Amino acid sequence: MTDALTSATPGSPVSFEVSTNVPTTHGLFEMRAYRDLVTSAEHVAVIAKTPDGRAPADGALVRVHSECLTGEAFGSLKCECGPQLDAALDTIAAEGGVVVYLRGHEGRGIGLINKLKAYRLQEDGLDTLDANLALGLPADSREYGGAAGILADLGITRVRLLSNNPEKRRQLVEHGITVDSLVPLVVGISAQNAGYLDTKRDRMGHTLPSHLDTGAA
């Protein structure tokens, strides 16, 4: 693990910038900031020690989480991103692990304005995938090389991935990270996002239940 301020391992897709301890409503975390040398995005590794006080190592529980301003800051019910982030932080606070928070991934990589344009098309009946395509944009353009580089900097080459998305697993493995298992993260389901989650399951291959309990009476 790199400890100096601002350094890059030769061949790494990220450069380490700074580490600091941050108390949060979820617990006390070490936050390590990285710059993506491919996209120039700024990413953060949120790290919680294990109950015995050790730093996460191989086999750690890891969440690779894409930035979602609408869901995390504004509480949008059109997705489950905010509850997923909260649940991941609570889980690593209790068990130890890492949340790799990837900026520049808004709207599966299309950006905030295009994401809101896609939302508008969804009001006319398109699903989340077709709305992106109707804008002439990829259904999902996210790339996880930066996440793999961050994990490698932390000395973690094998993880239990807290995710429902097999594509994250595939890309991490492609970038040299062994994924022992996908640990389900099924939270934040509501009547407002049930169709969105159906599309993720049926058209994008996410491992979600065939029946989603929205909590509606």
Side-chain angles (χ1 to χ4, degrees), residues 8-217:
T9 301
S12 174
V14 296
S15 67
F16 167 73
E17 297 292 325
V18 66
S19 172
T20 187
N21 294 318
V22 180
T24 77
T25 56
H26 303 276
L28 176 65
F29 299 117
E30 177 191 0
M31 293 192 179
R32 293 173 65 86
Y34 293 84
R35 188 173 305 280
D36 194 307
L37 300 178
V38 177
T39 67
S40 298
E42 299 173 347
H43 307 313
V44 178
V46 184
I47 304 165
K49 292 182 178 180
T50 60
D52 62 4
R54 298 186 181 188
D58 275 347
L61 189 64
V62 169
R63 167 72 180 167
V64 174
H65 187 89
S66 296
E67 176 183 30
C68 177
L69 179 69
T70 54
E72 296 157 8
F74 301 137
S76 169
L77 296 177
K78 292 178 72 68
C79 67
E80 82 281 39
C81 301
Q84 281 189 321
L85 180 59
D86 286 337
L89 291 171
D90 286 341
T91 300
I92 69 162
E95 300 181 21
V98 182
V99 172
V100 179
Y101 188 88
L102 299 175
R103 302 195 66 203
H105 274 202
E106 189 82 41
R108 299 195 303 273
I110 66 174
L112 179 60
I113 291 175
N114 281 327
K115 178 182 181 178
L116 294 177
K117 289 180 179 179
Y119 275 5
R120 178 63 187 85
L121 291 175
Q122 290 169 41
E123 292 177 10
D124 294 331
L126 295 185
D127 67 24
T128 181
L129 190 155
D130 284 335
N132 279 24
L133 298 179
L135 292 169
L137 299 168
D140 190 340
S141 62
R142 291 174 294 178
E143 204 278 329
Y144 298 99
I150 290 169
L151 291 171
D153 181 74
L154 297 175
I156 297 173
T157 60
R158 197 181 82 250
V159 305
R160 291 175 293 129
L161 187 62
L162 192 58
S163 178
N164 310 315
N165 186 358
E167 176 62 13
K168 285 184 184 179
R169 179 181 201 162
R170 186 194 69 78
Q171 286 202 36
L172 288 177
V173 169
E174 188 177 80
H175 289 289
I177 303 297
T178 298
V179 180
D180 289 336
S181 62
L182 285 181
V183 180
L185 185 61
V186 183
V187 294
I189 299 170
S190 68
Q192 292 90 340
N193 64 27
Y196 162 84
L197 294 173
D198 284 342
T199 298
K200 289 173 75 171
R201 181 192 63 228
D202 298 338
R203 301 190 64 191
M204 305 184 78
H206 290 224
T207 53
L208 291 164
S210 58
H211 173 73
L212 296 171
D213 184 3
T214 64

